Amino acid sequence: MTLRTVLTGAFLALLAVTQPQAAEHVTKTHALSLTGEPKYPPAFTRLDYVNPDAPKGGELRRAARGGFDSLNPFIIKGN
């Protein structure tokens, strides 16, 4: 018997013996916060820094360098 077989058997036996314990205290929330309560309520419509009256539409121009034949998955075009 190899050491790997013995350790695997011991691990499986340990799993069979131990029983998962039920969580005594579970808190359900709509958001997580590192410090205190979450900033936004459960049904918020927009973030504070978003302007709902901002102009819509427009054009986005991006610069491109090099060729398009690449294995880079983030390029826009390629063969």
Side-chain angles (χ1 to χ4, degrees):
M1 225 186 250
T2 65
L3 178 62
R4 183 176 183 180
T5 307
V6 171
L7 290 177
T8 303
F11 177 71
L12 291 175
L14 181 65
L15 283 178
V17 171
T18 59
Q19 297 177 359
Q21 296 178 1
E24 294 178 14
H25 180 69
V26 176
T27 303
K28 292 185 180 182
T29 181
H30 67 284
L32 297 175
S33 175
L34 293 177
T35 57
E37 294 295 319
K39 182 176 182 179
Y40 299 106
F44 75 98
T45 56
R46 65 179 178 86
L47 301 172
D48 287 346
Y49 55 84
V50 174
N51 180 5
D53 300 322
K56 308 292 189 270
E59 185 174 323
L60 174 65
R61 295 183 185 190
R62 299 185 339 178
R65 289 180 50 191
F68 290 107
D69 296 327
S70 174
L71 296 175
N72 185 350
F74 300 106
I75 60 175
I76 297 173
K77 295 181 181 178
N79 289 337

